[in-house]
Amino acid sequence: MRTQVGIIGAGPAGLLLSHLLHLRGIESVVLEARGREQIESTIRAGVLEQGTTDLLTEAGVGTRMKSEGAQHHGFELAFEGKRRRIDLTGLTGHSITVYAQHEVLKDLVAARIEANGTVLFNVSQTSLHGIDTTTPSIRFHHEGEPHELHCDYVIGCDGSQGVSRNSIPRALRRDYERVYPFGWFGILVEAPPSSHELIYARHERGFALVSTRSPNVQRMYFQCDPKDTVELWSDDRIWAELHARVDSTEGEHVVEGKIFQKNIVGMRSFVSTTMRHGRLFLAGDAAHIVPPTGAKGLNLAVADVRVLTQALDSFYKEGRIDLLDTYSATALKRIWRAEHFSYWMTRMMHRLDDASPFEQQLQIAELEHVTTSRAAATAMAENYVGAVAV
Ligand code: RFL
Ligand code: PHB
């Protein structure tokens, strides 16, 4: 098999890259370890920056997002029993869209199929070869048969557990990591919205987040021990914790409903540099992870793909390699901005078991500051909507 660009991973990064390249007349093949049903039903992100929705719309995959997604112009910070609003649109001119990641994936898969693009699901034993030569290839198994895909470039969009990153020699890589001593317990609930905007809550008992998926389905998270299992959390215990952390002294409260999905995710900040070695480029979670507090992961994956599409386009149209050479440095500027913001927001909002009473007061002082100073609120809002100069 031969193609121009071989893409490993059919997450948002891999599928969007394949689609954007197609729109520029560049051919690609996407290899995915999991099945189509599985990627289209895995519950992950929910918040899309305006830059992300604009790009999806320009690429012709925004129709359902526009009709089914919900545009939000602000969010609330809850602390000390009160609620304070961050007016995203008033402060930055931008809004966000709440639309589930697996719905984005359904739209992208449909677009690739409609355009006769090749996406191979359920591949196994993926391995990269010759990435420091001009004739790289990807070997894999599909439907019981071994295959080799020859291409000009290999793009590793295979997420945090993929194989691409480890194909860059250890001596040429530098990894930066911070693991947080807490996790997020996530639930999906059949209930009306508890609020018309997202609520990020800081409480002595721990962080909580009230998000949404549709008028009838709500997404909520609360900080838990990363070693917890879902069996430890009965529905009653979950609601007691969410009420304690989110309900305000003014009587605003979380609306209960039938919980139909529970999961626990770990929290990690991670950046691997370089994002390019020879003919291999990394994009999305394959190169960097943020804790979900700032809602940045998917948006960063999309931002990488935007830069990489331009670089590959300039190579195929004009024979230029300068944008390929600067890809890693260009992408890393936005990545480090998002890493800092996600870390900052995580530290401000979570119960930190090693924090002294002094440091806990600092969290509250910081929340008071970002909700009363227009300058501080603007800085937070710019980061949250992704309208930052990098
Ligand atoms: P993905 O989505 O992990 O896709 C990688 C794909 O590669 C496949 N794969 C392989 N395929 C072939 N061969 C191999 N050897 C392979 N190894 C792996 C995998 O099966 C998979 O399909 O990476 P990508 O495309 O970089 O996208 C990244 C985003 O998925 C991620 O950053 C976000 O989900 C993070 N995130 C959020 N991001 C936001 O922008 N806004 C949010 O509101 C938001 N909320 C979240 C989140 C992540 C969460 N979790 C689960 C950590 C909330 C949560 C709870
Ligand atoms: C979500 O709706 O899944 C969501 C929203 C905001 C975040 C993280 C996840 O910061």
Side-chain angles (χ1 to χ4, degrees):
M1 286 168 87
R2 190 176 155 88
T3 190
Q4 290 177 302
V5 180
I7 299 173
I8 308 178
L15 287 169
L16 181 61
L17 177 64
S18 176
H19 189 62
L20 294 176
L21 292 176
H22 159 75
L23 295 175
R24 285 161 184 75
I26 302 164
E27 210 188 87
S28 66
V29 168
V30 181
L31 305 174
E32 167 58 48
R34 296 185 299 157
R36 179 173 173 185
E37 298 70 33
Q38 217 181 338
I39 68 158
E40 290 187 349
S41 61
T42 305
I43 308 297
R44 290 185 80 174
V47 171
L48 308 181
E49 295 171 359
Q50 200 168 310
T52 300
T53 51
D54 288 349
L55 187 62
L56 292 169
T57 304
E58 279 163 36
V61 286
T63 315
R64 220 162 52 87
M65 174 181 74
K66 202 163 172 33
S67 64
E68 293 176 24
Q71 193 181 17
H72 287 209
H73 297 286
F75 64 77
E76 295 208 271
L77 289 170
F79 61 103
E80 301 295 276
K82 58 196 169 201
R83 299 254 176 103
R84 298 248 178 94
R85 182 167 189 264
I86 300 290
D87 179 3
L88 295 173
T89 305
L91 294 166
T92 68
H94 284 234
S95 60
I96 52 155
T97 299
V98 182
Y99 185 62
Q101 176 166 333
H102 66 280
E103 301 295 344
V104 175
L105 288 183
K106 283 184 202 166
D107 298 339
L108 285 168
V109 170
R112 293 311 302 123
I113 290 173
E114 163 101 19
N116 285 322
T118 310
V119 182
L120 300 182
F121 292 101
N122 298 305
V123 305
S124 60
Q125 300 178 50
T126 321
S127 60
L128 286 70
H129 301 272
I131 52 172
D132 41 13
T133 71
T134 53
T135 53
S137 70
I138 309 166
R139 292 188 198 146
F140 60 99
H141 284 234
H142 187 240
E143 293 175 347
E145 298 287 327
H147 296 273
E148 183 158 12
L149 175 67
H150 297 274
C151 42
D152 302 326
Y153 290 100
V154 175
I155 318 296
C157 299
D158 47 354
S160 57
Q161 310 296 323
V163 291
S164 305
R165 189 176 58 247
N166 291 323
S167 303
I168 300 180
R170 201 68 203 82
L172 301 179
R173 253 173 54 206
R174 175 137 192 219
D175 291 351
Y176 302 84
E177 184 174 37
R178 159 105 201 195
V179 178
Y180 302 88
F182 39 81
W184 274 20
F185 197 109
I187 57 170
L188 280 171
V189 190
E190 247 175 61
S194 293
S195 146
H196 71 284
E197 293 180 331
L198 269 59
I199 307 168
Y200 288 84
R202 181 225 174 253
H203 192 272
E204 294 86 83
R205 299 184 65 86
F207 169 78
L209 168 60
V210 175
S211 180
T212 183
R213 284 294 179 267
S214 74
N216 316 317
V217 175
Q218 312 312 319
R219 180 73 166 147
M220 301 182 197
Y221 300 96
F222 57 91
Q223 177 180 354
C224 67
D225 186 321
K227 293 190 288 296
D228 276 359
T229 57
V230 292
E231 292 75 34
L232 286 172
W233 287 87
S234 67
D235 294 6
D236 286 348
R237 186 175 173 214
I238 290 172
W239 290 120
E241 205 57 44
L242 282 168
H243 284 302
R245 296 184 192 189
V246 182
D247 291 358
S248 74
T249 46
E250 247 90 89
E252 295 141 311
H253 63 274
V254 170
V255 178
E256 295 186 21
K258 181 169 177 280
I259 299 174
F260 62 93
Q261 209 256 0
K262 301 180 183 178
N263 71 324
I264 296 177
V265 292
M267 304 269 286
R268 192 157 83 97
S269 297
F270 173 75
V271 181
S272 181
T273 61
T274 169
M275 291 170 65
R276 184 258 173 102
H277 176 64
R279 293 273 174 142
L280 168 66
F281 292 81
L282 302 178
D285 279 17
H288 43 79
I289 302 287
V290 283
T293 327
K296 286 280 152 270
L298 186 158
N299 294 296
L300 273 185
V302 168
D304 288 354
V305 161
R306 180 190 287 117
V307 178
L308 195 49
T309 301
Q310 272 173 1
L312 288 165
D313 194 38
S314 75
F315 170 76
Y316 283 108
K317 296 255 161 61
E318 304 163 52
R320 283 169 55 182
I321 56 161
D322 55 322
L323 296 182
L324 289 169
D325 287 342
T326 53
Y327 165 71
S328 188
T330 304
L332 280 163
K333 282 195 192 141
R334 173 173 285 268
I335 291 160
W336 277 113
R337 174 89 305 280
E339 289 287 348
H340 173 259
F341 175 65
S342 305
Y343 167 88
W344 170 79
M345 200 164 157
T346 300
R347 299 265 319 169
M348 179 169 73
M349 301 303 299
H350 287 74
R351 177 195 157 101
L352 310 167
D353 283 336
D354 60 347
S356 62
F358 177 81
E359 287 161 320
Q360 289 173 24
Q361 291 306 314
L362 291 185
Q363 284 185 318
I364 297 166
E366 189 145 39
L367 279 160
E368 290 284 357
H369 183 54
V370 295
T371 54
T372 47
S373 152
R374 188 176 172 90
T378 305
M380 182 181 203
E382 281 179 349
N383 277 279
Y384 192 82
V385 301
V388 278
V390 283

